[in-house]
Amino acid sequence: MNADIQLVKANIDLTELKAPFDGIIGLRQVSEGAYASPSIIIATLTKISPLKIEFGVSEKYAGVVKSGTKVAFDIEGNLNTFYATVYAVDSKIDPITNSLSVRALYPNQNGMTQPGRTANLRVRMLEIHDAIAIPSEAIVPEMGTDKVFLYKSGKAQPVTITKGLHSEALVQVLDGLHLGDTIITSGTLQLRMGLDVVLDNID
């Protein structure tokens, strides 16, 4: 009798599908009552927490991104900014894309983000304290050098600078400027040394 009960329980267990992890089941591919062989996909189970993010980093930054690096990303249609942490970095540069494959984890504990979505990522490569950064439009290229015009005692005074890192709007200045200098950011193409200058606005 006990053997029969155990056999029945075993047969019942064969009718149940147990997921190896928590997630969300997608659309059912098999109708109720249909015969399902081991090769048939009944439904797809998607893990939503945590989410893995995979992206590529230019080879020139390959030595900067490492396990523990923070990643900020945005998703179209959502005003929030999300934050993930790099947990794995490939061992080599892809010779076709000249990029390094990187993977990060986002907790997604509230399930706000769906797997498979495209994201815009921002990686903080390095942080420089007390850096001098100026608007890119303030720089005047001249004979292979970069100059900016300072405002001193009502006149324009050009100085040669050495550029460092840059973004779309700002350029780091490694040499040539000091904290407290007032630079002229508009009308620079018409300026020359000693020209009288009247400032419209000071930021």
Side-chain angles (χ1 to χ4, degrees):
M1 184 66 177
N2 288 335
D4 292 339
I5 294 176
Q6 294 300 323
L7 179 61
V8 171
K9 288 183 177 179
N11 289 333
I12 293 176
D13 288 340
L14 292 176
T15 66
E16 297 179 351
L17 297 177
K18 297 181 179 180
F21 54 83
D22 293 336
I24 295 179
I25 296 179
L27 298 176
R28 185 179 61 188
Q29 305 298 322
V30 177
S31 299
E32 184 177 351
Y35 176 77
S37 67
S39 61
I40 293 179
I41 298 176
I42 298 176
T44 300
L45 177 66
T46 303
K47 190 173 185 178
I48 63 169
S49 178
L51 290 181
K52 293 182 179 180
I53 304 170
E54 185 164 342
F55 59 98
V57 175
S58 174
E59 60 180 345
K60 64 182 178 180
Y61 300 119
V64 179
V65 179
K66 59 189 67 175
S67 181
T69 298
K70 301 301 180 182
V71 178
F73 65 96
D74 302 315
I75 296 175
E76 186 176 354
N78 194 319
L79 298 179
N80 296 312
T81 298
F82 305 93
Y83 298 93
T85 304
V86 173
Y87 74 93
V89 178
D90 204 352
S91 59
K92 64 182 184 305
I93 303 294
D94 188 320
I96 298 178
T97 62
N98 294 324
S99 63
L100 182 71
S101 293
V102 180
R103 290 176 180 171
L105 277 180
Y106 169 63
N108 200 33
Q109 295 174 345
N110 52 13
M112 289 183 61
T113 306
Q114 293 175 311
R117 299 196 65 173
T118 301
N120 298 314
L121 288 92
R122 299 184 302 278
V123 182
R124 177 174 289 182
M125 297 301 180
L126 40 96
E127 188 173 349
I128 303 174
H129 297 283
D130 300 325
I132 297 178
I134 64 174
S136 56
E137 61 267 22
I139 300 175
V140 181
E142 184 177 299
M143 301 295 290
T145 63
D146 294 304
K147 293 185 176 182
V148 297
F149 282 90
L150 300 181
Y151 176 81
K152 288 194 173 182
S153 302
K155 297 184 180 296
Q157 179 179 327
V159 294
T160 301
I161 64 169
T162 301
K163 296 189 297 184
L165 301 176
H166 64 85
S167 64
E168 293 182 2
L170 297 175
V171 177
Q172 179 193 11
V173 178
L174 300 176
D175 188 44
L177 293 180
H178 301 87
L179 291 176
D181 285 342
T182 300
I183 62 170
I184 302 173
T185 59
S186 61
T188 53
L189 295 179
Q190 290 77 37
L191 293 176
R192 63 181 184 275
M193 185 171 182
L195 184 69
D196 291 334
V197 176
V198 177
L199 300 181
D200 291 333
N201 186 30
I202 300 178
D203 293 330

Short mmCIF file of all heavy atoms in Angstrom, two decimals, residues 45 69 89 106 120 123 141 187 189:
data_model
loop_
_atom_site.label_atom_id
_atom_site.label_comp_id
_atom_site.label_asym_id
_atom_site.label_seq_id
_atom_site.Cartn_x
_atom_site.Cartn_y
_atom_site.Cartn_z
N LEU A 45 10.83 31.55 -18.72
CA LEU A 45 10.93 32.16 -17.39
C LEU A 45 12.08 33.18 -17.41
O LEU A 45 13.22 32.83 -17.74
CB LEU A 45 11.20 31.09 -16.33
CG LEU A 45 11.40 31.59 -14.89
CD1 LEU A 45 10.10 32.19 -14.36
CD2 LEU A 45 11.88 30.46 -13.99
N THR A 69 33.33 49.19 -10.27
CA THR A 69 33.07 50.49 -10.89
C THR A 69 31.57 50.75 -10.97
O THR A 69 30.79 49.87 -11.31
CB THR A 69 33.68 50.54 -12.31
OG1 THR A 69 35.09 50.38 -12.22
CG2 THR A 69 33.37 51.86 -13.00
N VAL A 89 34.73 41.79 -16.09
CA VAL A 89 35.34 42.46 -17.23
C VAL A 89 36.04 41.40 -18.08
O VAL A 89 36.72 40.51 -17.54
CB VAL A 89 36.37 43.53 -16.78
CG1 VAL A 89 37.03 44.19 -17.97
CG2 VAL A 89 35.69 44.57 -15.90
N TYR A 106 22.37 45.23 -11.71
CA TYR A 106 21.42 46.20 -11.15
C TYR A 106 20.42 45.43 -10.29
O TYR A 106 19.77 44.49 -10.78
CB TYR A 106 20.71 46.96 -12.26
CG TYR A 106 19.54 47.77 -11.76
CD1 TYR A 106 19.73 48.82 -10.86
CD2 TYR A 106 18.24 47.48 -12.18
CE1 TYR A 106 18.66 49.56 -10.38
CE2 TYR A 106 17.17 48.23 -11.71
CZ TYR A 106 17.39 49.26 -10.82
OH TYR A 106 16.32 50.00 -10.34
N ASN A 120 20.93 53.89 -21.89
CA ASN A 120 22.04 54.82 -22.10
C ASN A 120 22.88 54.84 -20.83
O ASN A 120 22.40 55.21 -19.77
CB ASN A 120 21.53 56.22 -22.42
CG ASN A 120 20.72 56.27 -23.69
OD1 ASN A 120 21.11 55.71 -24.70
ND2 ASN A 120 19.56 56.93 -23.66
N VAL A 123 29.61 55.92 -17.40
CA VAL A 123 30.59 55.32 -16.49
C VAL A 123 31.55 56.41 -16.02
O VAL A 123 32.14 57.12 -16.84
CB VAL A 123 31.39 54.19 -17.17
CG1 VAL A 123 32.37 53.56 -16.20
CG2 VAL A 123 30.44 53.14 -17.73
N PRO A 141 42.01 78.18 -30.91
CA PRO A 141 43.18 77.51 -31.50
C PRO A 141 44.00 78.53 -32.32
O PRO A 141 43.44 79.31 -33.08
CB PRO A 141 42.57 76.44 -32.41
CG PRO A 141 41.14 76.31 -31.98
CD PRO A 141 40.75 77.67 -31.46
N GLY A 187 32.77 86.07 -28.12
CA GLY A 187 33.44 87.10 -28.92
C GLY A 187 34.95 86.97 -28.95
O GLY A 187 35.67 87.93 -29.22
N LEU A 189 36.97 85.47 -31.00
CA LEU A 189 37.64 85.57 -32.30
C LEU A 189 37.97 87.02 -32.66
O LEU A 189 38.86 87.27 -33.48
CB LEU A 189 36.75 84.96 -33.40
CG LEU A 189 36.51 83.44 -33.28
CD1 LEU A 189 35.61 82.96 -34.41
CD2 LEU A 189 37.83 82.68 -33.31
#
